[in-house]
Amino acid sequence: VENRGFEVFYQPIFSVNENRIVSAEALIRLKDQSIGYVSPEEFIPIAEKNGMIMDIGEFVFESVCRFLHEENLKQYGIRFVEINLSVVQCMQDNLVERLSEIMERYQILSEQINLEITETAAIHTTEVLEENINKLHEKGICFSLDDYGSGYSNTDYLFRFPFHMVKIDKLILWEACKNEKAMIALKNTIQMIKELGLQVVVEGVETAENVHYLTQQHCDFLQGYYYSKPVPESALIEILHQMSA
């Protein structure tokens, strides 16, 4: 944090209905001078334990707002950017005020931000978490339930919180490609989410076969290496330039 070793990468999100990239997920990356890149799976749990996740989370949020403002991503068709909120962030009494202040500073509209809550965060249901989500939702910010299927997959989360979309974990898709029972589970999960009036994002899309199947299942958005790996700001702009050319 002190040496500014963090960087935000972006993974494009493809709209099936519009047949183009309309969004991107912001993903934190850490590059150490001596050992190279360190996986978020390693440093995020440490940061959550020692409290520095607040600094990291705010860095990501401000980086996204600055990027949206400076590059005017709307001109490339990017309607919103998805940003993960950690369990610790969700529990902060001043979360709404801090995020609102950053958005105002960079003149970011609420519809340009989509906040992702993981199942792990959702199970830590507290009055503070629910109040934060409801206040941000009232301001016009949309929410996604992230990594659905990787944990408890409790449908109670879908009823309790004002989620706009559900992101199905990549491991579910990958298992469905190998296992007929998993394929049935994936198909019915997508159908259930759609019938609840929520949009479906599937992560881990890597092949044309994945795209064809998920399109047939009427998924709304697809995300994965088939479209692009997570890339730095400049590379995302290049992808968007090529798309509009």
Side-chain angles (χ1 to χ4, degrees):
V1 172
E2 293 174 357
N3 296 330
R4 299 185 178 276
F6 289 106
E7 184 177 0
V8 178
F9 278 37
Y10 295 84
Q11 187 168 34
I13 297 174
F14 181 84
S15 167
V16 174
N17 294 331
E18 298 181 51
N19 195 36
R20 65 183 182 88
I21 294 169
V22 299
S23 177
E25 180 180 0
L27 298 162
I28 187 71
R29 294 291 182 265
L30 171 61
K31 186 174 184 179
D32 184 85
Q33 291 184 349
S34 58
I35 62 176
Y37 280 105
V38 181
S39 169
E41 294 180 0
E42 292 187 58
F43 68 78
I44 291 295
I46 297 171
E48 287 183 331
K49 288 180 181 179
N50 67 18
M52 298 201 76
I53 192 65
M54 291 300 300
D55 293 326
I56 295 172
E58 195 162 300
F59 165 78
V60 173
F61 193 85
E62 183 162 1
S63 295
V64 170
C65 289
R66 176 195 52 74
F67 186 38
L68 283 167
H69 176 74
E70 291 181 353
E71 297 294 340
N72 187 21
L73 294 184
K74 288 191 291 185
Q75 69 179 315
Y76 301 108
I78 296 296
R79 297 204 305 268
F80 60 91
V81 173
E82 299 187 349
I83 307 172
N84 292 277
L85 283 184
S86 72
V87 176
V88 178
Q89 283 180 283
C90 290
M91 305 301 178
Q92 300 303 308
D93 290 322
N94 65 342
L95 176 68
V96 178
E97 290 73 18
R98 291 296 303 134
L99 299 189
S100 298
E101 188 275 326
I102 293 172
M103 291 174 65
E104 290 173 8
R105 188 190 316 158
Y106 291 97
Q107 301 175 319
I108 301 302
L109 301 175
S110 56
E111 58 262 31
Q112 293 177 271
I113 300 294
N114 185 299
L115 296 176
E116 296 187 358
I117 307 292
T118 64
E119 283 192 321
T120 305
I123 64 174
H124 290 78
T125 305
T126 66
E127 290 185 7
V128 174
L129 181 145
E130 290 200 51
E131 187 176 343
N132 280 336
I133 290 178
N134 288 329
K135 283 183 177 179
L136 290 167
H137 185 254
E138 288 170 3
K139 288 178 174 289
I141 293 176
C142 289
F143 283 85
S144 299
L145 178 61
D146 194 20
D147 297 336
Y148 189 75
S150 64
Y152 296 93
S153 301
N154 193 334
T155 54
D156 179 54
Y157 310 146
L158 304 180
F159 311 143
R160 184 182 309 174
F161 299 111
F163 290 119
H164 179 67
M165 60 178 66
V166 177
K167 302 190 76 173
I168 296 177
D169 188 74
K170 59 182 179 290
L171 296 179
I172 302 299
L173 173 62
W174 294 347
E175 186 62 29
C177 294
K178 304 179 293 182
N179 185 311
E180 186 176 348
K181 290 183 178 179
M183 181 68 79
I184 294 171
L186 173 62
K187 180 179 179 179
N188 283 280
T189 298
I190 293 170
Q191 183 178 345
M192 177 196 70
I193 295 169
K194 296 287 290 183
E195 289 183 357
L196 288 172
L198 303 173
Q199 294 185 318
V200 176
V201 187
V202 181
E203 301 176 301
V205 177
E206 296 188 342
T207 67
E209 289 75 18
N210 290 162
V211 173
H212 176 73
Y213 176 77
L214 295 170
T215 300
Q216 293 292 104
Q217 299 305 314
H218 306 292
C219 293
D220 299 284
F221 302 99
L222 307 178
Q223 179 179 350
Y225 277 30
Y226 180 80
Y227 299 101
S228 173
K229 64 181 181 180
V231 295
E233 293 180 1
S234 58
L236 178 64
I237 294 296
E238 183 61 31
I239 290 171
L240 298 175
H241 270 303
Q242 293 174 359
M243 183 180 69
S244 60

